[in-house]
Amino acid sequence: MGYSRRTLLVTGGLALLGLPACSVAGDDTADDGSGKVEVFSWWAGPGEKEGLEALVADFRQRNPGIEFDNAAVAGGAGTVAKTVLATRLENDDPPDSYQAHAGLELDADIEAGYVEDVRYLYDQQRWRDRLPKGLVEALTFDGKIYSVPVNIHRANLLWYNPATLEGHGLTPPATWSQFLTQAAALKAKGILPLSIGPTWTQKHLLECVLLGELGADGYTGLWNGATDWKGAPVQQALTLFVKVLDQSDIATAAGDWQPALDKVVAGTAAYNVMGDWADAYLRTKGLVFQEGYSVAASPGSEKVYNFLSDSFTLPRGAPRRRAAEQWLIECGSVSGQDAFNPQKGSVPARLDADKSKYTGYLALAIAEWTDSATRVVGSLTHGVVAGTKRSAAVDAALVLFVQDRDAVKFAAAVSG
Ligand code: GAL
């Protein structure tokens, strides 16, 4: 896998926080024996709750004595959920498990001592042999592992309605400058070239434009220091991003990612850039892949998999620890992943999953993910390549950038 990560210095934090020795891995004194597990996620909206429900159904079957307490908080990319969760963790009120991503996103929670090292479960379940090496690396902080992956999503995708493109004699653009050429023609015909949603979807678009313009190495270098944010290639890519954004409905942006996709389905917008959870959502609307909707790599990113992985944690002080462990075992299992991912629009993290369960868009996704010629990079917006502070710096700078369009200022604010 082509992304990089920095080592986190988290050792010693527990002693500093004065946490008792009983919070070490394997301890179960915190288990209240209630036979319930409270799981916190942001999978409450259409296209996301179906995946969670399928995972929960499999969990129930394998754990009949444990009631599933769904603490999901709606809102794409967890923007609302993350705020609610932060308050709960600060107030020493953790759920039994919460959704996170593989990668640097978990750094602050690890430093704060909010999550436990679950390597003992990796050993017990032999997950290290059953997950891609690069994914295990992305999950490892200073030799420890704090979450269990349930899937692999792809972020760099351009969704469209085949009827709209055919109607205008277009095929998906291979580069962002081709997109701009198409956008002029589409606008002239009264079609919105690109639909967009809230700030996190703009950040998602930004990473896809940077990836398309800089290539896999240039993009990865943005996060490991090898690419100069103030250099000409990045500055040009940022200027292009603004031009792309000008082809969108940012002034009247949709409230979340699903309504932005609805415009593509309705044919009022030509394209939407979104991760492959879009596939799950579009199927909930009864649409069929390559008929009602289709997809291409976002411009300039053919054969690159900009990945992210949803993963679940074991919070320190989880009230029902044994049930939480059962949940994590479910997330990491073949049966859990093969129940969840076909509904979620993602491919399994497990190498030994049943590929025959993945059809339509997902058959293409799994072929691409498992092709050794595919380059893998990590998503910014969904937790892989930037830690909490850096990602928040991008969020703040992006709000200003879409207004003042000052690429030099933006680069200075986010170069890390
Ligand atoms: C991502 C998450 C996906 C999907 C998406 C939209 O951060 O990894 O599973 O939920 O947000 O909400």
Side-chain angles (χ1 to χ4, degrees), residues 1-4 154 156 207-227 298-307 373-379 385:
M1 296 171 90
Y3 56 87
S4 74
R154 184 178 186 182
N156 56 315
E207 72 180 67
C208 291
V209 173
L210 289 170
L211 174 61
E213 290 299 291
L214 303 173
D217 289 331
Y219 170 82
T220 299
L222 291 170
W223 315 113
N224 67 16
T227 299
S298 57
S301 70
E302 191 69 36
K303 291 305 288 176
V304 181
Y305 219 97
N306 183 13
F307 100 101
T374 299
R375 277 295 309 271
V376 178
V377 300
S379 170
V385 288

Side-chain angles (χ1 to χ4, degrees), residues 42-44 47-48 75-79 82 99-101 105 150-151 153 200 204 256-258 274-278 308-311 340 344 346 379 381-383:
W42 56 86
W43 293 332
E48 315 219 271
T79 43
K82 283 178 180 173
Q99 181 184 354
H101 288 117
E105 178 186 274
V150 68
N151 67 354
H153 267 306
W200 75 264
H204 188 119
D256 211 340
W257 61 275
Q258 293 101 330
M274 193 37 60
D276 47 12
W277 43 91
L308 58 116
S309 171
D310 292 304
S311 68
F340 174 73
K344 183 62 172 63
S346 38
S379 170
T381 310
H382 308 282

Side-chain angles (χ1 to χ4, degrees), residues 398-414:
L398 185 57
V399 171
L400 297 178
F401 184 42
V402 301
Q403 289 165 24
D404 66 18
R405 313 299 162 111
D406 186 336
V408 175
K409 196 173 99 190
F410 180 75
V414 305

Side-chain angles (χ1 to χ4, degrees), residues 267-292:
T268 53
Y271 298 111
N272 180 255
V273 170
M274 193 37 60
D276 47 12
W277 43 91
D279 172 65
Y281 172 61
L282 295 168
R283 281 187 280 128
T284 66
K285 296 173 80 77
L287 299 169
V288 174
F289 180 57
Q290 280 168 343
E291 292 175 21

Side-chain angles (χ1 to χ4, degrees), residues 84-147:
V84 175
L85 177 68
T87 307
R88 287 191 61 171
L89 295 176
E90 272 162 34
N91 292 339
D92 204 14
D93 174 30
D96 297 310
S97 183
Y98 65 83
Q99 181 184 354
H101 288 117
L104 297 176
E105 178 186 274
L106 212 49
D107 62 350
D109 287 4
I110 294 169
E111 276 171 62
Y114 288 153
V115 281
E116 290 203 14
D117 178 6
V118 291
R119 276 177 301 165
Y120 68 100
L121 288 177
Y122 276 71
D123 293 341
Q124 187 196 94
Q125 302 294 319
R126 297 191 32 231
W127 282 330
R128 280 188 194 76
D129 305 333
R130 291 162 174 175
L131 295 169
K133 200 167 158 277
L135 176 60
V136 175
E137 274 166 23
L139 288 155
T140 305
F141 291 78
D142 202 25
K144 298 181 179 147
I145 305 182
Y146 296 87
S147 65

Side-chain angles (χ1 to χ4, degrees), residues 29-342:
T29 52
D31 195 327
D32 73 355
S34 75
K36 157 175 137 170
V37 66
E38 188 199 13
V39 176
F40 189 97
S41 76
W42 56 86
W43 293 332
E48 315 219 271
K49 69 173 177 355
E50 291 80 3
L52 180 60
E53 278 162 10
L55 182 57
V56 170
D58 191 67
F59 174 75
R60 282 205 178 108
Q61 208 169 18
R62 304 200 314 157
N63 297 275
I66 306 176
E67 184 199 326
F68 185 83
D69 181 0
N70 188 356
V73 173
T79 43
V80 186
K82 283 178 180 173
T83 312
V84 175
L85 177 68
T87 307
R88 287 191 61 171
L89 295 176
E90 272 162 34
N91 292 339
D92 204 14
D93 174 30
D96 297 310
S97 183
Y98 65 83
Q99 181 184 354
H101 288 117
L104 297 176
E105 178 186 274
L106 212 49
D107 62 350
D109 287 4
I110 294 169
E111 276 171 62
Y114 288 153
V115 281
E116 290 203 14
D117 178 6
V118 291
R119 276 177 301 165
Y120 68 100
L121 288 177
Y122 276 71
D123 293 341
Q124 187 196 94
Q125 302 294 319
R126 297 191 32 231
W127 282 330
R128 280 188 194 76
D129 305 333
R130 291 162 174 175
L131 295 169
K133 200 167 158 277
L135 176 60
V136 175
E137 274 166 23
L139 288 155
T140 305
F141 291 78
D142 202 25
K144 298 181 179 147
I145 305 182
Y146 296 87
S147 65
V148 179
V150 68
N151 67 354
I152 301 290
H153 267 306
R154 184 178 186 182
N156 56 315
L157 293 167
L158 185 72
W159 300 90
Y160 62 92
N161 178 341
T164 310
L165 294 206
E166 275 159 31
H168 297 287
L170 297 173
T171 53
T175 63
W176 282 108
S177 54
Q178 273 178 23
F179 164 79
L180 291 178
T181 307
Q182 287 193 10
L186 286 161
K187 263 186 176 168
K189 292 174 180 168
I191 309 281
L192 174 68
L194 185 74
S195 63
I196 196 96
T199 302
W200 75 264
T201 68
Q202 296 160 29
K203 187 182 184 186
H204 188 119
L205 176 66
L206 171 68
E207 72 180 67
C208 291
V209 173
L210 289 170
L211 174 61
E213 290 299 291
L214 303 173
D217 289 331
Y219 170 82
T220 299
L222 291 170
W223 315 113
N224 67 16
T227 299
D228 180 6
W229 278 89
K230 290 168 197 136
V234 180
Q235 287 295 302
Q236 279 158 19
L238 290 171
T239 305
L240 187 107
F241 166 68
V242 170
K243 287 188 185 152
V244 170
L245 214 52
D246 281 341
Q247 310 309 316
S248 79
D249 53 351
I250 187 165
T252 55
D256 211 340
W257 61 275
Q258 293 101 330
L261 277 162
D262 288 345
K263 296 181 185 175
V264 173
V265 173
T268 53
Y271 298 111
N272 180 255
V273 170
M274 193 37 60
D276 47 12
W277 43 91
D279 172 65
Y281 172 61
L282 295 168
R283 281 187 280 128
T284 66
K285 296 173 80 77
L287 299 169
V288 174
F289 180 57
Q290 280 168 343
E291 292 175 21
Y293 69 100
S294 198
V295 72
S298 57
S301 70
E302 191 69 36
K303 291 305 288 176
V304 181
Y305 219 97
N306 183 13
F307 100 101
L308 58 116
S309 171
D310 292 304
S311 68
F312 281 84
T313 59
L314 179 59
R316 192 166 297 278
R320 290 157 291 258
R321 186 193 171 101
R322 268 192 227 140
E325 286 174 345
Q326 290 309 115
W327 170 251
L328 295 179
I329 289 168
E330 174 69 25
C331 290
S333 70
V334 168
S335 82
Q337 296 200 3
D338 280 344
F340 174 73
N341 289 301

